[in-house]
């Protein structure tokens, strides 16, 4: 805000309070039924939170990240500085060109291939159990909007040993024991996440650990038990 104030001899003190400016953000997507979320801080320098975009609701001016997702489409995102005049953003979500059930192995830049993967289709399922412990209740409907690839088998001793050797990690006695094709054990969460980061760097694709919902979706395999 611009304020003109007279300056006189003596002590000049003035109190100025600035109100947060808000503006409208309009997002147009293709397809039109894509789910849109926005991430922004309610206060300058405060924590950034993601929430669904509510049409007609003004947002605080400043940095905003917009993300759109739809069934069978690649997500699209855009970052912008929302000004007092508002903004209109158009996002086109490209179709996912994948075949459910397809199996593949990505080549590693250091030689050899990564773990066997299989493409899992997008879909919806009831997550949790009404008869289970409190952590599994209530049962809720979960929709996975995009297909994704998951490991066909558990990570083997041989696969993890290659990663450990390349990154200078020390294998626990139990994890190094057993046949190369056996599942690896005694692996910390941090090392499991580091293994997926290593696969990403080696293949150029994005590897990560599955979310809780993705894991349950895989484990159920279309069943309700």
């Amino acid at each position: 805000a611009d304020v003109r104030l007279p300056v006189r001899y003596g002590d000049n003190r003035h109190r100025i309070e600035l109100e947060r400016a808000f503006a409208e953000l309009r997002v147009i997507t293709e397809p039109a039924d894509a789910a849109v979320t926005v991430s922004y801080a309610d206060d300058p320098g405060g924590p950034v939170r993601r929430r669904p975009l509510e049409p007609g609701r003004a947002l605080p001016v400043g940095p905003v990240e917009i993300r759109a997702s739809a069934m069978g489409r690649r997500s699209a995102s855009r970052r912008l500085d929302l000004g007092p005049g508002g903004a209109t953003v158009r996002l086109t979500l490209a179709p996912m060109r994948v075949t459910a059930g397809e199996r593949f192995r990505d080549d590693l830049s250091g030689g050899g291939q990564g773990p066997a993967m299989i493409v899992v289709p997008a879909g919806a399922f009831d997550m949790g159990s009404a008869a289970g412990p409190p952590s599994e209740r209530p049962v809720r409907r979960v929709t996975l909007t995009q297909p994704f690839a998951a490991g066909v088998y558990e990570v083997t001793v041989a696969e993890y040993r290659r990663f450990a050797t390349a990154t200078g990690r020390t294998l626990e006695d139990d994890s190094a024991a057993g046949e190369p094709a056996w599942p690896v054990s005694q692996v910390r969460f941090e090392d499991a996440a580091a293994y997926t980061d290593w696969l990403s760097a080696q293949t150029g694709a994005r590897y990560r650990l599955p979310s809780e919902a993705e894991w349950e979706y895989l484990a159920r395999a279309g069943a309700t038990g």
Side-chain angles (χ1 to χ4, degrees):
D2 294 329
V3 180
R4 291 181 176 272
L5 299 170
V7 179
R8 301 182 176 87
Y9 288 107
D11 189 7
N12 287 269
R13 295 185 182 185
H14 300 277
R15 182 182 181 86
I16 301 175
E17 294 185 4
L18 301 180
E19 294 183 357
R20 189 78 186 273
F22 289 80
E24 182 180 357
L25 174 64
R26 184 182 180 210
V27 180
I28 302 173
T29 63
E30 171 56 38
D33 62 349
V36 179
T37 60
V38 288
S39 300
Y40 58 89
D42 292 312
D43 298 305
V48 174
R49 294 186 174 88
R50 175 180 293 184
R51 61 206 78 188
L53 176 65
E54 299 179 16
R57 180 180 179 180
L59 306 182
V61 300
V64 178
E65 180 181 3
I66 308 155
R67 181 173 295 274
S69 60
M71 182 76 74
R73 302 281 185 130
R74 293 187 181 277
S75 296
S77 62
R78 182 83 53 81
R79 292 176 181 269
L80 59 84
D81 281 326
L82 183 63
T88 298
V89 175
R90 297 178 182 271
L91 295 175
T92 299
L93 285 64
M96 299 284 285
R97 304 297 184 186
V98 297
T99 302
E102 176 185 356
R103 297 194 181 203
F104 65 91
R105 298 178 79 110
D106 286 326
D107 292 330
L108 303 177
S109 61
Q113 292 184 314
M117 308 292 289
I118 187 169
V119 177
V120 182
F125 74 107
D126 293 327
M127 182 174 176
S129 172
S135 61
E136 295 183 7
R137 301 194 299 264
V139 176
R140 57 272 192 199
R141 191 69 174 171
V142 174
T143 299
L144 301 176
T145 61
Q146 297 180 4
F148 60 98
V152 178
Y153 311 107
E154 291 91 343
V155 177
T156 66
V157 170
E159 289 168 341
Y160 189 82
R161 182 180 290 140
R162 175 184 293 175
F163 152 73
T165 300
T167 57
R169 278 175 166 74
T170 301
L171 287 168
E172 298 291 339
D173 292 339
D174 290 344
S175 63
E179 297 295 326
W182 287 6
V184 70
S185 61
Q186 302 297 315
V187 176
R188 298 183 307 159
F189 172 85
E190 292 79 8
D191 289 330
Y195 173 61
T196 63
D197 292 340
W198 179 78
L199 286 174
S200 299
Q202 286 283 307
T203 63
R206 185 192 175 206
Y207 281 77
R208 59 173 174 79
L209 297 174
S211 68
E212 181 185 11
E214 288 169 338
W215 191 93
E216 186 166 331
Y217 180 63
L218 290 166
R220 287 182 181 273
T224 57

